[in-house]
Amino acid sequence: IGALVILAAWILVFIWIGDSWWQLFNAGVLAIIMAQLGFLGHDAAHRQIFKSGRWNDWTSLIIANLLVGISYGWWRNKHNKHHANPNKVGSDPDVSLGAIALTPEQASRPRSRLMKWLVSHQGWYFFPILLLEGLSLRSEGFRRVVKRGPVEHRWVEFTLLMVRLCSFVTLAFLVLSPGKAVAFIAVELAVFGFYLGSSFAPNHIGMPLVSPRLKLDFLRRQVLMSRNISGGRLMSILMGGLNYQVEHHLFPSMARPSLRKVQPLVAAYCAAEGVPYTQTTLWQSYRVIIRYLNTVGLRGRDPFLCPLVAQRRAL
């Protein structure tokens, strides 16, 4: 309810400001609201809000499709695969980003001279390319809904996505002149994608990748491939609880406020079991990401880095 009140207040402010270039700032505000709603939908998808799985599913579907404009069914399928095998090559869809090479094999694919140079410096353009992530998330989900293939609640998802898209575009063009409306939509998409991408990236990028043939127990499979971000409650708000990525992967249905409470227990248990537990600051994680991507782009680094993983790698 609070999220809906904030969104309604934003709409009133948008109409009150009217046809002004100040609306570009307002577009950034809307993008942040959309990202926070996305985090809330993520919580519901993980059964963190209601006892009823049905209530959680429908809440997440409405938030994702109607409010944020992302297909819940598409995202859920992708996200479930990620949780089952984080950073496992061939199993985790988040390892195949398309525009970014996360393994030397991806970096060594046949490319033009320009693309080879770009890949070798991909760490530096990774964050700028996140400005397109909002468009990618919304378009990928929409394509899945309209394409052939099994889609649960296809027409519900399609209807909600169309209502959201038409309402958003109509509101922008009713209040703003065409040029300002296009700029407003572009800024909202860019800030939304950058915010979400900057929140997702620290979780796993730069952590060890897992060979398709390697089998690990549940604890190591989730802990070794995940990275926590320090910063306390403020960081939890900014990242939607994703800063406790290790705990979230171990207890995906645990409510977001409880993750910080179990964090010391998880860290102590990992230490007792000899399982490396990674936690850094946000800026340290960004430096690791840039360095990792640049090195992989030069094909000079083996992504299967964790000593424990290397010992257990299948021959």
Side-chain angles (χ1 to χ4, degrees):
I1 295 177
L4 294 177
V5 170
I6 292 174
L7 185 58
W10 179 91
I11 294 174
L12 293 176
V13 171
F14 178 76
I15 296 172
W16 175 71
I17 293 175
D19 189 19
S20 167
W21 286 108
W22 282 106
Q23 296 284 24
L24 298 186
F25 174 80
N26 213 14
V29 174
L30 177 62
I32 293 172
I33 294 173
M34 290 294 105
Q36 287 293 325
L37 283 171
F39 293 144
L40 186 63
H42 172 262
D43 292 347
H46 277 288
R47 310 291 196 268
Q48 295 180 17
I49 298 178
F50 302 105
K51 291 183 178 179
S52 167
R54 184 178 179 85
W55 273 79
N56 279 299
D57 278 337
W58 280 97
T59 298
S60 192
L61 189 149
I62 291 171
I63 290 175
N65 290 65
L66 182 61
L67 300 182
V68 182
I70 296 175
S71 166
Y72 169 59
W74 165 78
W75 174 86
R76 181 181 61 181
N77 179 61
K78 177 175 177 289
H79 197 61
N80 285 346
K81 292 178 180 177
H82 161 70
H83 265 268
N85 292 286
N87 274 23
K88 187 169 186 176
V89 178
S91 299
D92 183 0
D94 290 352
V95 173
S96 301
L97 299 180
I100 299 293
L102 289 177
T103 71
E105 290 76 15
Q106 294 171 0
S108 62
R109 292 170 183 168
R111 303 173 188 268
S112 65
R113 183 172 297 180
L114 174 60
M115 287 305 300
K116 286 181 180 179
W117 185 89
L118 287 173
V119 170
S120 68
H121 297 79
Q122 63 180 353
W124 298 114
Y125 72 75
F126 173 74
F127 286 97
I129 209 173
L130 290 179
L131 295 171
L132 300 175
E133 180 68 6
L135 178 62
S136 175
L137 287 171
R138 285 165 172 160
S139 62
E140 284 292 328
F142 188 81
R143 280 202 296 268
R144 179 186 182 277
V145 171
V146 300
K147 285 174 62 176
R148 292 182 178 180
V151 177
E152 189 178 5
H153 307 304
R154 180 192 300 275
W155 288 107
V156 174
E157 287 213 44
F158 178 78
T159 301
L160 294 179
L161 286 173
M162 289 303 298
V163 169
R164 199 272 180 191
L165 176 63
C166 293
S167 300
F168 178 58
V169 172
T170 300
L171 179 64
F173 278 89
L174 280 177
V175 175
L176 304 173
S177 61
K180 292 188 181 74
V182 171
F184 172 85
I185 293 171
V187 170
E188 192 278 335
L189 283 171
V191 176
F192 173 72
F194 187 84
Y195 184 9
L196 280 186
S198 298
S199 300
F200 296 157
N203 301 337
H204 303 284
I205 296 179
M207 297 302 290
L209 298 184
V210 183
S211 166
R213 297 173 295 174
L214 179 66
K215 293 184 178 181
L216 293 170
D217 60 75
F218 178 78
L219 177 67
R220 288 168 175 80
R221 185 167 73 246
Q222 303 299 339
V223 175
L224 294 176
M225 319 311 159
S226 303
R227 178 192 294 115
N228 275 15
I229 303 299
S230 60
R233 295 190 180 185
L234 177 59
M235 191 60 65
S236 286
I237 294 172
L238 292 176
M239 296 186 65
L242 299 179
N243 54 312
Y244 294 110
Q245 191 66 198
V246 173
E247 288 71 30
H248 172 60
H249 267 258
L250 290 174
F251 312 105
S253 62
M254 180 176 288
R256 189 194 307 181
S258 299
L259 295 176
R260 65 180 179 85
K261 298 178 181 178
V262 302
Q263 189 269 337
L265 300 177
V266 172
Y269 183 80
C270 288
E273 292 294 315
V275 178
Y277 179 99
T278 302
Q279 178 168 282
T280 68
T281 67
L282 184 63
W283 303 115
Q284 286 172 339
S285 74
Y286 289 161
R287 287 197 294 269
V288 169
I289 290 168
I290 292 172
R291 184 170 61 249
Y292 175 83
L293 291 177
N294 280 338
T295 309
V296 168
L298 292 170
R299 302 188 302 279
R301 175 177 180 179
D302 183 354
F304 305 96
L305 290 177
C306 175
L308 182 57
V309 173
Q311 293 172 8
R312 298 169 64 91
R313 189 190 310 175
L315 299 176

